[in-house]
């Protein structure tokens, strides 16, 4: 059962335009979400997070929006740059039982065209 | 600067061989994790540890084992490598389960 879902495997955007990456979750117990960015041949790196007590968190060109009623979050990148081309994963810490592991989505490959 | 390293970066092995992937972190984090990344599956947790002598199974632990004898290292062992274990493996560490995890550069393992 995929508790964190990224239904778009890929997204192509023109440089300077907005990129919107989407993530859905099924577990209403999730109260914190993270976005990771991954370049080829490198490990994922943390990008931005949001707590469920907020509906928006902004860091420079990156903004994450959380809609708890829809169990949906999105990452907005404005303006998009070629260096943003990477795979983006959303993730949530799972507190079931004794575990504090992260559950990752399947990722979205963003290609920003010059 | 603190970091997390993995070795080797690339490994080719034969079916049935035992393989150990190394992970070393200098963050002094108690929590360490092993993931595998496969197309269509994202990152899936193999094993994790919350401290020395503590190890736990993740969602895809069959065929893998870990041991934690010190804070810095969490080696991942494939007892008898199978072609289904061809993947990219990432080690990560964190200060707490809620905070961000810091990932190593990955090990690409091919089982022939």
């Amino acid at each position: 059962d995929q508790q964190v879902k990224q239904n778009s495997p890929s997204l192509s955007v023109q440089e300077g335009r907005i990129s919107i990456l989407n993530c859905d979750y099924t577990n209403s117990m999730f109260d914190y979400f993270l976005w990771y960015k991954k370049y080829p041949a490198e490990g994922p790196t943390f990008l931005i997070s949001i707590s469920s007590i907020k509906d928006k968190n902004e860091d420079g060109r990156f903004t994450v929006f959380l809609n708890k009623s829809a169990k949906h979050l999105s990452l907005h990148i404005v303006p998009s740059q070629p260096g943003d081309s990477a795979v983006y994963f959303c993730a949530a810490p799972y507190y079931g039982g004794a575990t504090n592991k992260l559950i990752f989505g399947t990722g979205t490959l963003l290609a920003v065209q010059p | 600067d603190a970091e997390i390293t993995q070795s080797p970066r690339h490994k080719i092995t034969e079916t049935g061989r035992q393989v150990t992937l190394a992970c070393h972190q200098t963050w002094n984090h108690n929590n360490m994790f092993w993931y595998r990344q496969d197309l269509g599956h994202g990152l899936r947790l193999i094993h994790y540890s919350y401290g020395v002598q503590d190890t736990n199974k993740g969602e895809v632990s069959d065929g893998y084992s870990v041991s934690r004898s010190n804070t810095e290292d969490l080696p991942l062992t494939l007892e008898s490598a199978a072609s289904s274990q061809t993947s990219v493996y990432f080690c990560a560490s964190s200060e707490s389960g809620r905070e961000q995890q810091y990932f190593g550069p990955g090990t690409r393992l091919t089982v022939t």
Side-chain angles (χ1 to χ4, degrees), chain B residues 39-61:
Chain B
L39 194 63
H41 292 281
L43 291 156
R44 292 182 292 174
L45 185 65
I46 305 171
H47 282 286
Y48 57 101
S49 168
Y50 290 144
V52 177
Q53 301 302 329
D54 176 75
T55 61
N56 305 279
K57 294 181 178 180
E59 62 178 310
V60 289
S61 61

Side-chain angles (χ1 to χ4, degrees), chain A residues 21-99:
Chain A
L21 295 93
N22 295 304
C23 180
D24 297 295
Y25 62 96
T26 58
N27 192 334
S28 58
M29 297 298 291
F30 290 160
D31 63 356
Y32 191 70
F33 301 90
L34 307 92
W35 284 93
Y36 281 80
K37 177 179 181 179
K38 183 186 177 307
Y39 291 119
E42 295 184 11
T45 55
F46 170 74
L47 185 60
I48 192 169
S49 62
I50 188 166
S51 167
S52 61
I53 63 173
K54 297 183 176 181
D55 54 17
K56 175 183 174 181
N57 188 28
E58 189 173 355
D59 183 2
R61 297 186 296 112
F62 302 90
T63 303
V64 57
F65 295 91
L66 176 61
N67 182 333
K68 291 186 289 293
S69 61
K71 295 190 179 69
H72 176 82
L73 60 154
S74 60
L75 175 68
H76 293 213
I77 306 174
V78 184
S80 301
Q81 299 174 355
D84 296 328
S85 297
V87 177
Y88 290 79
F89 294 99
C90 65
Y94 177 63
Y95 296 100
T99 61

Side-chain angles (χ1 to χ4, degrees), chain B residues 33-88:
Chain B
F33 308 85
W34 273 104
Y35 295 89
R36 60 179 288 175
Q37 184 194 5
D38 303 287
L39 194 63
H41 292 281
L43 291 156
R44 292 182 292 174
L45 185 65
I46 305 171
H47 282 286
Y48 57 101
S49 168
Y50 290 144
V52 177
Q53 301 302 329
D54 176 75
T55 61
N56 305 279
K57 294 181 178 180
E59 62 178 310
V60 289
S61 61
D62 287 350
Y64 303 94
S65 64
V66 293
S67 61
R68 189 89 180 271
S69 59
N70 58 53
T71 300
E72 297 81 16
D73 299 289
L74 186 70
L76 177 72
T77 297
L78 287 69
E79 302 294 344
S80 177
S83 57
S84 60
Q85 295 177 308
T86 292
S87 186
V88 181

